[in-house]
Amino acid sequence: MSRAPQPVSSSRVTVKTALVPPTSRSRAPSPSKPSASAVASPSTPRVRTKSIPKSPSKPIRRAPPEEEIPTSKPPLSIKDAIALKRAEAKKVVSGPLVGQGVGFDSFDTLEDAVPGGSSIKKEVDENADLGRWSVKEAIERARSTGVDVSALLHPESLPDKISTTGSINLASRSLPCLPSALFEIHLRVKPDALQSVPQEPPIGSSEAPGRRPGHRGGPAWFEAQDLQVLKAWNNEIVEIQHEISLFGSLKSVDLHQNKICALPDTIADLTALTSLDLSHNSLATVPINIFSLPTLSVLNLSHNALVALPFGAPFSGSSRRSRTDHYSSAGFFGPVVTRANVPLPRLLSLDVSFNKLTASAIDYKNLPAGLSKVDLSSNPIASGNSDCSTFIRAFGGLSQLKELRLANTDIGDDAFPPTLLAGGVSRIFSTLRILDLEETRANAEAVALAFAGLKQFLVFDITAEEPPEGTLRITVGKKVLKEAWEIEVERKARHRSGRSLVKEAWEIEAEQGLLTEGGRKRAAAAAAATESSVATERALASQGKRSSVTGIGHPSSPPPHSVPSSSFNLNNPQYYHATTQTLTLPASAPPARSHTRSFSLATSALTAHATPGKTDIALPTPSLPIAAISSQSFAHTLKILILSNRKLDLSVSLPCYRPEMDVGLIPTLEELVLDGCGFGDNVPVTRQVEGDGTPIKSSEPLLPLLTRLFPNLRTLDMSYNALTSGALQKDVLVGLIVASAQNTVSRTGLKHLRLRGNHITTLDGFQEVAEIFKGHRSVPDWKLEELDLRDNEISKLPPELGLLPLDVFLVDGNV
């Protein structure tokens, strides 16, 4: 086979020329392409290569040789930049790179910023100090305000966050003592070396990385500020330099949570102090002149090992003769120290809890007069020969004392005798509001008896809220914090437990056997028989008296159970409570009969005597015995009459034989309780006649009768009776509820009407009464505030009832 000849293209010529060695005028080859030496010479046999066909219309351009572009560093995140900046600052401080012009650009990566192995431990130790100033810089900044002198001439223009008072915070830095730099920078004084700290550790350089070049090493005279607040808590301080007294402007010193065993006497020369906190240390004593600081208002010495509080030591005997009220603590040019003439005249709060103080070791005869809060908790107050009652009474003489805490002390009832307030009830503990006797041997009864004469109201319930004014909260036993609602629930429970148990109507009927139809029939038969026997005996008695007048027959003796109304004596404390002017007659029920297979409605003559039931024969039997009550000595002062569940004789006995004489028989009665009696719309009324005549019996509407009998009635309880809607007519309700002064006896108006558990089906009478309020926003004579219609048979509430101005309207339990 012959191979077809391929056409020669112009591109082939280009390939041939490309293989010619370059001349001196040709451009230098790209580093990425083979050099000229690598191309075969013309004598070398030509090798066929495959080339990419190019378009003959476009000239061939070679790409210029690529120049090396310098790679830029990847941008750092904010976090990496901050870490680099901190690492740069540490390297400057550590020293190896000092003088080498180290800057931020000297570190390419985070690895380059890590110091050598010798400084790794130091970096770990200083990690806690990142983000706050060094000790020396904090001392210097406390000396300076950090604002321009021109701004100090106009303090009102300073920002809120700029403080112009000297304050230093050296807390939580593991310092073995107060740094000497504090005295050198603020006072230009080098303090004496301490025994406990022969050599102070370095506190860092004041050349902070952010300090501008040429900045002064200390503040100028116009920037200098006197130190007023010193905080060095949570350190390892054991001793305090005696040069501390040279800070005459110190007002607040906080050295709690250290290891201080003793204080220099010169600390009492800080007469400008208002707050001193030395709690959680190892102090056994304090300099006595501390008790003569003139402006100290808060002193906290808790959680130490104090064994005495000699408040009067600076003012007694040789101490007074050797002490002057004005002197210089550092020679002629030192600050002048002015002491008080009485123990701590401005002290308000004293906390010496968790120490070793006894009552005899506390100078309670010289207590600071202005004390408002005292905490002596967890001290052996009663140890030794301590007179605890005199000790407690001494605090009662403080006219401004509001809180006295004696929790976890060993005091007992002997510290609170009944004569604790004798001789000064009006001024002893007159302002006390909190008395904490938690976990002591004192009992609530003894403490209540000891403080019984105070004008404050004693409360033994504990809440997190502050006690109100005029209340003394006493904590006895184990403290159990309660919310306000818990205390209210317990108070109501105690109140209910003190009252007599009120039973529901069905419970009473169950006790009397009236739940079944047979039981109700037997009770009705017994009641009818009893009423018949009483009427028969009264008729025989009257007939005997008439026969004795005519000389016929023999006078019959009255029956043993028939007692005239005038002979009842209800003044027995069992029934009448003179303090509350309340008369309560016991419940009465028809006499119970034993169950027999058959019984007769006719009763024997011995029935009334053999089965007295639950009725006291010395009491009147009618449900509402007005005739017996009106004859008592307290009839014109009686305010409350309780006649619950009196069902034996469902009637009303009156001493008057004419209805117009019923008005105001018990004029002062304000509350009448007739619940559970079974009254209907009409009630049998028995009226006594003059002389020995037969009582007049009739039937009268119940509610109008009550309106006439009790003109000042404010509360009427007719719950669980048999009233129907017919008894609640408009005129009856208006006469009962609305106040009136038109008649001879004025009415004050009813406030509470309780009709629960009756047979009421409609409220037409109340609907008509509500018409009074149409067009009138108020009716002056309307007094009703509470209307109870629960557990009736009401099917609809008229919308007009919304016009009645009631505070309480109860209608649940209806249909």
Side-chain angles (χ1 to χ4, degrees), residues 478-520:
K478 187 175 181 180
K479 179 185 289 186
V480 179
L481 288 178
K482 299 178 182 178
E483 298 292 339
W485 65 269
E486 294 179 296
I487 296 176
E488 183 66 18
V489 167
E490 292 181 357
R491 186 188 65 80
K492 290 183 177 179
R494 289 194 299 266
H495 179 68
R496 285 195 300 268
S497 63
R499 297 171 56 185
S500 59
L501 183 62
V502 178
K503 297 181 180 180
E504 297 288 341
W506 67 270
E507 295 178 300
I508 299 171
E509 292 178 354
E511 292 178 356
Q512 299 174 355
L514 301 178
L515 292 181
T516 61
E517 187 66 26
R520 286 192 288 271

Side-chain angles (χ1 to χ4, degrees), residues 89-98 115 119 122:
K90 289 185 180 180
K91 280 196 172 183
V92 171
V93 175
S94 60
L97 300 176
V98 175
S119 61
K122 182 177 180 181

Side-chain angles (χ1 to χ4, degrees), residues 511-513 516 518-519 521-523 525-526 590-604 607 610-613:
E511 292 178 356
Q512 299 174 355
T516 61
K521 288 182 178 180
R522 288 191 293 272
R593 296 175 59 90
S594 58
H595 178 72
T596 55
R597 189 172 299 274
S598 60
F599 61 94
S600 173
L601 293 179
T603 58
S604 62
T607 300
T611 312

Side-chain angles (χ1 to χ4, degrees), residues 721-737:
N721 283 279
L723 296 177
T724 64
S725 303
L728 304 176
Q729 301 298 324
K730 177 183 177 181
D731 54 345
V732 176
L733 293 176
V734 170
L736 181 66
I737 297 173

Side-chain angles (χ1 to χ4, degrees), residues 359-380:
S360 58
I362 299 175
D363 187 6
Y364 52 82
K365 296 182 180 179
N366 294 294
L367 292 172
L371 276 174
S372 175
K373 298 180 180 179
V374 179
D375 193 347
L376 292 165
S377 304
S378 299
N379 280 288

